[in-house]
Every structure is written in structure tokens, then in C-alpha cells.
Amino acid sequence: MKKKIIAANFKMNKTNRDIEEYFNTFVNNMNEFKGKGLFENIGLNSEAVFATPCTSLCESYKIIKPYGDFIKLSAQDIYFEKNGAYTGEISIDMIKDCGCEYAIVGHSERRRIFNETDETIAKKMSAVYSSEGVTPILCVGENKEVREKDMQYDFVKKQLKTDLEPLKAKSGKVYSLIIAYEPVWAIGTDLPIRPEDGDKMHRFIYDYVRSNYEVDELRIIYGGSVKESNIKELMDEPYINGVLVGGASLDPSVFLNIVRLSNA
Ligand code: PEP
């Protein structure tokens, strides 16, 4: 069975001390839910993935390790080179060393604020698949102008075509790929997509990837103003296999509730 991915992106928030407090609360509350029988099968059906800042990955890993079947770590970004004179960047081996099993690639903030192009993203995807043990969470999604022109399908297809080019060159199947569909107009705006529109795009992405690439385990997750109030209706849609949560993941009780409701 494909496990659902309920991912938290902390972005540039929280020091190591904040992270320690966060996970202590998250784990305590989780154990309390378990004691009341409210959490029994969640770990079997889903993974809670945390993209903490890179300064906290190793610290986070120490705390979450005992819960490793259910709580996983992700980097917020990686660089495509293995090592060398790339000031400020982190490599895949470095994040693996801190216990990461996932890496976000091509987040819209990297594209928009740091001018990351689809060509760079393709190099990152290629680097992830040249190294074993890390699953990419590739972010795609259109901005408001594109959606207003009803060009979102062509736009996302174009992103995928370039970003996933390395999969064509790879011999044999790719084991695991997560695509996060994150319409830029829905990120941090309190304007989430209508679940049925999200599902339509997820289905489009699913069909496109399945007919062009060989992937064993494909999951398509949604990101953009996910909250306790809308998680259930989003997760009820057949092609939405999880979520990527920014703002609402910063409070451990809220995020735990999102995880719980995503399985309700
Ligand atoms: C994000 O930036 O990946 C995101 C989904 O943010 P938010 O949940 O705050 O919209």
C-alpha cells in the first residue's frame, strides 16, 4: 500500500532549541492520542515528514529516531554537486548523514526568490537519483496569472517535462517519486484550491508521469494553505496522496491534528 505523505515545511523558521520543544510536544501529544486509541493505524497508513532547516536536521534526527517508522526527515533543498567550492550549499551525502530520506526539490520560493530554473531542478533530480536512499519531493505549480488564463495544465506539463528529463536517461525504473502540486497563488494566502480542482490536476500529473516515465511508487501531494479545517476534504479526493504544509505545520499540536484528520 502507498503510504500517505503528510509533510511539514518549516522554511526559515525555528532554532535547534525551538525544534527540540516542537518534537517533544509532537511526540507527547502523539503518545497521548495513542493512549486514547486515536492514533492506532495512522503510522501504518502514513508518514509524517519534517523538512526542518538544514541547521537542525541532525538534531531533529536524534529526537525522532525512535519513531522512525512514522516520522521521517526531509531537506528543504539540496545542491546537485557531490562536494567542492559551492559556498552555502549542501549535498545529498550531507543530508543522508543527518538521517534524511526525502529532499524537497524546486520549491516555488526557490524558483521565485532565488531564480532557480527548471534546468537546475533537473540537475538536482538527476543527483538525487544517482544516489540511493533519498526520495525527491518535486514541487510544481502555476502562479495566479497562469491560472487566470486557464493555462495551468500546459504550464505544469512544461515544468514536469524538463524537471523529470533525468528519469528518461536513467536505466531501469525509478523506485519512488513524490510530486507536490503547489499552486503558487494558494501558498500562504488562505486561499486553498477547491478539492475537486486539486484532484483534477493531480490526475493530470498522474497520467502524464505514468505514460512517460517508469516509476514504481508515485505519490502526488497537494500544498497551499492546508489547514485543520480543509485537510479532510482534500484527502477525500482519490488522487491526493498527501499534503505539504507550510504555515500550519509550525505549531506541533495543529500539525499533529492535521496528521490525525488526514487519516480520519
Ligand atoms: C509551502 O510553502 O510549501 C506551503 C504549502 O505553504 P502554506 O501551507 O503556508 O501555504
Side-chain angles (χ1 to χ4, degrees), residues 27-154:
V27 165
N28 281 343
N29 291 0
M30 187 174 90
N31 288 336
E32 211 173 291
F33 274 140
K34 268 192 187 157
K36 292 181 189 151
L38 289 167
F39 218 79
E40 277 355 347
N41 289 322
I42 294 178
L44 295 174
N45 299 333
S46 55
E47 287 179 354
V49 178
F50 289 91
T52 67
C54 64
T55 46
S56 305
L57 287 173
C58 286
E59 269 320 293
S60 306
Y61 188 56
K62 283 187 207 147
I63 312 174
I64 60 136
K65 211 171 161 195
Y67 308 92
D69 285 347
F70 168 58
I71 304 181
K72 310 277 185 184
L73 271 189
S74 173
Q76 294 181 12
D77 187 28
I78 41 100
Y79 195 53
F80 52 80
E81 295 289 355
K82 277 185 92 58
N83 56 270
Y86 305 104
T87 303
E89 297 296 333
I90 52 170
S91 72
I92 295 173
D93 284 347
M94 289 170 186
I95 63 152
K96 274 165 66 174
D97 213 24
C98 289
C100 286
E101 292 180 40
Y102 295 95
I104 296 176
V105 178
H107 191 278
S108 63
E109 283 151 17
R110 303 272 348 147
R111 293 174 185 261
R112 184 169 51 81
I113 304 169
F114 302 101
N115 301 321
E116 204 164 287
T117 63
D118 284 306
E119 287 67 27
T120 304
I121 291 161
K123 286 185 186 169
K124 293 185 176 189
M125 292 297 286
S126 173
V128 172
Y129 285 125
S130 312
S131 150
E132 303 258 295
V134 174
T135 296
I137 302 176
L138 171 67
C139 299
V140 294
E142 78 287 354
N143 62 21
K144 191 161 170 267
E145 290 72 46
V146 172
R147 170 81 39 178
E148 279 169 358
K149 287 188 206 140
D150 201 21
M151 298 287 287
Q152 63 272 20
Y153 295 100
D154 285 346

